[in-house]
């Protein structure tokens, strides 16, 4: 059944929603724009037959009562009363500045920078880290779940109706979307859980970075017809990563798969290695899949290697340039290989415009968004660089003469080889 504009839908708890317009339609149901108490929301109404409606509905009610695990989730807010043996739930509307993930995969919209791309990946990883920490698993992770602001990397996650306590099979009997499901689900050896979420997350990240399916290469192209059995082989029984270093049988095909061929070499080895582990060892052993905190560390490291040219704004990943080599941009600008800040966990290149974040300057802090420092250039001498303290913490360093200097917010630490800086519980050493 479909609703008409102006129709009133009663909600559990006494409120009501007024239908404004139809926003879209999928395999499970129809999404409408509605108003509740004068505010705009989205209503998802189920048009499919739910195999275990009572348990499915009970799980939704529990999730509504517990609230969203993270602000990035467009979480169910209200359940509707039933009409003709069906029902729906209300969630926040997606703001207009967010794009469908599928539009990013199809190159209809593009990120403003590689830095923004990495930030969006960090936001996705962190949202699922929070979800899993709360003892929940998503169970149906795919490209239709994400909206991304390509201008700043912010993300929103929708279709959260299958989120279930980890280890418990979702009441909707949803295994996932083909291409995103872990091999053990495809083969019927497991139901969705946090470890299968980790596989789906790696697929999402690979598609975000390479705009392509990690298991779709020559073997897929050579299949005359993708039958259910052939799909079972490619994604379940005999999956082969397209960049498997020990098996070249499923490489991307030139002229058919341009995106991964073009994009894969643009990423540093430590990012490539993470995908290789995820889609080689991780395909066979779920415990070898990278957890979210490992992805977070790698992505923070990657973001720290991105150098932006102050003249043409082009980006360069200095992890792809051998240490000591000159950094060159297409506009003709060139720079010496920069200093780096090392703290035992991270090695962050220091160059004008580079930023430090809370996770790099404060002990036991995961915050990768709050900027606490920035590398600036002396206005009168371009060869003199320094780190400006943008945090509310006092940093200290010892001069060559042994004097202890305090650096408060707004003050600058000169960048010099061998200098040690005491941040907020973290000590970093500058090296060339």
């Amino acid at each position: 059944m479909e609703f008409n504009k102006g129709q009133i839908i009663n909600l559990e708890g006494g409120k009501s929603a007024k239908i404004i317009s139809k926003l879209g339609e999928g395999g499970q149901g129809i999404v409408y724009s509605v108003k509740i108490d004068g505010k705009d929301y989205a209503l998802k109404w189920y048009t499919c037959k739910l195999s275990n409606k009572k348990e499915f509905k009970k799980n939704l009610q529990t999730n509504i009562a517990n609230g969203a695990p993270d602000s990035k989730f467009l979480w169910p807010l209200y359940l509707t009363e039933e009409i003709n043996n069906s029902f729906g739930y209300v969630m926040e509307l997606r703001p207009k500045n967010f794009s469908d993930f599928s539009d990013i995969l199809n190159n209809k919209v593009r990120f403003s920078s590689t830095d923004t791309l990495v930030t969006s990946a960090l936001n996705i990883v962190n949202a699922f880290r929070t979800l899993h920490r709360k003892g929940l698993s998503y169970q149906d992770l795919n490209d239709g779940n994400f909206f991304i602001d390509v201008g700043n990397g912010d993300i929103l996650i929708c279709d959260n109706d299958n989120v279930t306590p980890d280890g418990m099979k979702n009441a909707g009997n949803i295994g996932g979307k083909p291409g995103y499901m872990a091999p053990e689900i495809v083969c019927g050896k497991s139901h969705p859980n946090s470890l299968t979420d980790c596989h789906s997350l790696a697929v999402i990240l690979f598609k975000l970075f390479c705009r392509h399916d990690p298991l779709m290469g020559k073997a897929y192209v050579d299949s005359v017809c993708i039958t259910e059995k052939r799909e079972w082989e490619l994604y379940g029984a005999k999956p082969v990563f397209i960049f498997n270093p020990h098996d070249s049988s499923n490489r991307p095909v030139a002229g058919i798969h341009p995106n991964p061929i073009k994009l894969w070499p643009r990423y540093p080895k430590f990012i490539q290695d993470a995908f290789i582990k995820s889609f080689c060892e991780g395909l066979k052993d779920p415990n070898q899949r990278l957890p979210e905190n490992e992805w977070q560390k790698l992505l923070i490291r990657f973001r720290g290697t991105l150098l932006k040219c102050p003249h043409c704004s082009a980006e360069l990943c200095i992890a792809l340039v051998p240490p000591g080599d000159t950094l060159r941009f297409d506009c003709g600008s060139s720079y010496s290989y920069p200093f780096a800040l090392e703290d035992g966990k991270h090695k962050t290149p220091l160059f004008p415009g580079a930023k430090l974040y809370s996770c790099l300057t404060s002990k036991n802090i995961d915050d990768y968004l709050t900027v606490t420092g920035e590398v600036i250039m002396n206005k009168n001498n371009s060869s003199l660089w320094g780190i400006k303290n943008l945090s509310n913490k006092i940093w200290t360093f010892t001069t060559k003469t042994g004097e202890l200097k305090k650096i408060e917010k707004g003050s600058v630490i000169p960048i010099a080889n061998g200098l040690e800086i005491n941040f907020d519980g973290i000590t970093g050493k500058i090296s060339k």
Side-chain angles (χ1 to χ4, degrees), residues 59 63 66-76 123-141 145-146 155 157-167 193-198 200-201 292:
N59 185 65
N63 286 343
N66 291 338
D70 188 280
S71 62
K72 303 301 182 185
F73 291 89
L74 292 174
W75 202 248
N123 282 327
I124 291 171
V125 166
N126 192 61
F128 283 93
R129 185 182 185 191
T130 303
L131 182 82
H132 290 156
R133 277 178 164 179
K134 291 184 179 292
L136 301 170
S137 58
Y138 193 84
Q139 307 212 0
D140 185 23
L141 190 57
N145 304 139
F146 296 97
I155 64 120
I157 303 167
C158 66
D159 285 346
N160 299 292
D161 43 0
N162 287 305
V163 172
T164 306
D166 191 26
N193 54 59
S194 59
L195 288 177
T196 64
D197 275 359
C198 286
S200 301
L201 177 61
E292 293 88 351

Side-chain angles (χ1 to χ4, degrees), residues 32 96 150 168 176 286 299 427:
Y32 297 92
K96 293 182 179 179
V150 294
M168 183 184 296
L299 292 168
T427 299

Side-chain angles (χ1 to χ4, degrees), residues 43-114:
L43 164 66
K44 179 178 179 179
W45 187 267
Y46 295 102
T47 56
C48 65
K49 184 177 181 181
L50 298 169
S51 59
N52 195 343
K53 186 179 71 173
K54 184 178 179 181
E55 288 300 314
F56 186 80
K57 191 173 183 180
K58 182 180 178 181
N59 185 65
L60 271 172
Q61 289 169 328
T62 299
N63 286 343
I64 289 171
N66 291 338
D70 188 280
S71 62
K72 303 301 182 185
F73 291 89
L74 292 174
W75 202 248
L77 300 173
Y78 307 100
L79 275 185
T80 72
E81 293 184 354
E82 291 197 18
I83 301 176
N84 295 335
N85 205 35
S86 191
F87 69 101
Y89 72 89
V90 172
M91 57 187 157
E92 296 282 355
L93 265 177
R94 171 192 66 171
K96 293 182 179 179
N97 54 304
F98 285 82
S99 300
D100 288 350
F101 188 51
S102 58
D103 286 341
I104 295 172
L105 297 181
N106 295 325
N107 294 315
K108 290 183 179 179
V109 291
R110 296 179 183 275
F111 284 97
S112 58
S113 65
T114 305

Side-chain angles (χ1 to χ4, degrees), residues 250-318:
N250 196 31
R251 288 286 183 265
V253 180
I256 299 177
H257 306 139
N259 285 341
I261 294 173
K262 176 184 177 182
L263 296 173
W264 179 254
R266 295 185 181 182
Y267 301 115
K269 186 177 183 299
F270 59 85
I271 292 293
Q272 293 179 346
D273 287 345
F275 284 123
I276 289 170
K277 183 175 182 180
S278 297
F279 299 124
C280 291
E281 297 172 42
L283 290 178
K284 300 174 183 177
D285 182 358
N287 290 303
Q288 293 301 311
R289 293 167 189 163
L290 269 70
E292 293 88 351
N293 64 324
E294 289 300 318
W295 278 117
Q296 190 179 55
K297 292 173 185 176
L298 291 168
L299 292 168
I300 289 171
R301 180 182 173 188
F302 181 23
R303 185 174 63 178
T305 67
L306 298 173
L307 171 63
K308 181 175 286 188
C309 177
H311 301 291
C312 66
S313 295
E315 286 176 307
L316 178 69
C317 177
I318 66 171

Side-chain angles (χ1 to χ4, degrees), residues 2-10 16-22 32-35:
E2 289 196 28
F3 298 121
N4 299 316
K5 181 178 180 180
Q7 193 167 345
I8 302 297
I9 309 298
N10 292 325
S16 62
K18 182 180 180 180
I19 301 293
I20 303 302
S21 64
K22 181 178 176 180
Y32 297 92
S33 169
V34 299
K35 276 191 181 293

Side-chain angles (χ1 to χ4, degrees), residues 202-219:
V203 173
I204 290 292
L205 295 176
F206 187 83
K207 288 196 171 189
L208 191 66
F209 281 89
C210 291
R211 307 292 197 277
H212 193 72
D213 186 316
L215 304 179
M216 186 184 289
K218 185 177 184 297

